[in-house]
Amino acid sequence: MALARPVRAFYSYSHHNRKEQARLETFLAPMIRRKEIQTWGDTAIRAGKDWRAELDSQLAVAEIFFLLVTADYLGSEECWKELRVGLDRSEEGNARVIPVITRPCGWQTVPEIQRWQVLPEGGKPVIRKGSQPDEEWQDVAAGIQKVVSEMLTSVPASPSQGADTLGYSWTPFLCDRSEEDETFRKALGAHPEGSPFVCILHGDAQQAHKEFVKRLERSAISEVLGLDSRQPVHRLPSDLLWLGLNTNGSADEIFGPELADILDPPPESAAKDHLAAAVARRRGATVVYSVVSARDWHQSGPRLLERFLEFWRDWPRLAPGQHLVVFLALLYLESHIQGANTSMAAALKPYENSGNPDSGNPKVIALPSIRQEHVEEWLRDPRIQRICDTARLGRHIPLIFGSNEPRGRSQGGAGELPMEPLAGILEGLLQRYRI
């Protein structure tokens, strides 16, 4: 099924290369007029607008990232932030990344750039000694046209997916977890407006906690909260970690500075009002992801959990239309630290059956291993059937779950597998039997 709208493209470039960005825009003009592509660069931000909110909203919905790679680009912290967003969206199957080698630089030594098929073909810079830049720009535009044409003719558009594409590395993580997805939706829908929604995900370390959060970001959060492309879901660029925290302070003293460190742009200070003001600059929903493994739990874990929940309970009231979704992932590890696993599970007990959305308690969701029947149901999903030969892939499923190899605690029980290793197996099979 073809897309019924232009492909959204984002220019990631250094302001030192604004002329080169404008020149590429000129060569893409025929595609823009045919409404095959819709480009956006930060020059589109009008005076008086919140530039960070505008930038974040465009990063969240971009389907192609044009990286205008120069020495200035590689030296820019802001460009690297945009690159990391592009990498994340590509790994999730939501976007394509096209580095355009614009001027001579050491891009071949940068793994984040080198991994992609660059333009112009062969990686020769558009602007170099002896080159004809307009001929090179035309070659770049032709390469972009191929990618856009492929996306226009092969990307399925469905109400549940919006503009997202299903990448082979992301698709396996849609395997089951429907019950947990529905539990999250109901809890978020019942949560009172004006306060952060806190969800604790717990399970063995190989249950792909972060991928489940990405799944919720793709659909559940925006659908339950009624958001659209003008009000995207943003996850903070870094995780809120618990390592080396001072456990003797108040909730604000413990977690305020940690949150301030990962907000972009940074707040005036780590005071709660300043933190709230920084979050409020973002339209739509802001997602905070925090993770703690049994290795880092230690004796102070229960106290830190209490302080963590207190920190969000005392958050200043959110304005209408603002949403803050906080995830805490607790990862159980192998039995050599079984005491920590037991302590983590015990600390969650008071919150597991809290059904009152006004109580201020978190929603606790366990992430179980995946059973064979879940994978067989996944293969009947039309989205999967559009991208691979599910009949041939399905022949491998009994073999995957019929292995007699011993499984540890983090490898699931008999007849089941944890999400992370299972997804790795399924990704390989999807590539093997792709249509």
Side-chain angles (χ1 to χ4, degrees), residues 147-165:
V147 174
V148 170
S149 298
E150 176 186 331
M151 296 177 72
L152 288 170
T153 57
S154 65
V155 176
S158 67
S160 63
Q161 244 182 283
D164 292 347
T165 60

Side-chain angles (χ1 to χ4, degrees), residues 93 166-172 387-388 423 426-428 430-431 434-435:
L166 284 176
Y168 291 96
S169 62
W170 164 254
T171 304
I387 64 174
C388 81
L426 294 177
E427 180 186 352
L430 283 167
Q431 293 280 7
R434 66 191 301 174
I435 296 176

Side-chain angles (χ1 to χ4, degrees), residues 170 173 207-216 289 420:
W170 164 254
F173 294 103
Q207 295 300 353
H209 295 64
K210 181 170 279 190
E211 283 71 19
F212 182 65
V213 170
K214 291 179 180 179
R215 166 180 172 161
L216 299 177
Y289 182 79
E420 202 166 278

Side-chain angles (χ1 to χ4, degrees), residues 251-320:
D252 287 0
E253 291 169 340
I254 295 172
F255 290 103
E258 301 300 316
L259 181 60
D261 284 346
I262 63 174
L263 282 171
D264 183 28
E268 292 183 37
S269 74
K272 186 71 74 65
D273 287 345
H274 290 161
L275 296 172
V279 170
R281 296 191 191 108
R282 301 166 179 265
R283 292 179 296 186
T286 298
V287 173
V288 179
Y289 182 79
S290 188
V291 58
V292 183
S293 74
R295 184 178 293 109
D296 305 319
W297 183 253
H298 306 304
Q299 294 180 347
S300 58
R303 175 181 170 81
L304 280 177
L305 176 61
E306 292 177 6
R307 293 291 180 267
F308 182 82
L309 298 177
E310 178 186 338
F311 179 78
W312 298 111
R313 277 197 299 267
D314 294 340
W315 190 264
R317 184 167 180 79
L318 298 168

Side-chain angles (χ1 to χ4, degrees), residues 375 378-379 384-385 387-400 425-426 428-435:
V375 182
W378 170 77
L379 289 174
I384 311 304
Q385 294 177 346
I387 64 174
C388 81
D389 186 337
T390 53
R392 296 175 68 189
L393 190 156
R395 297 177 191 144
H396 293 266
I397 303 307
L399 299 175
I400 294 171
I425 296 171
L426 294 177
L429 293 173
L430 283 167
Q431 293 280 7
R432 181 174 177 180
Y433 296 119
R434 66 191 301 174
I435 296 176

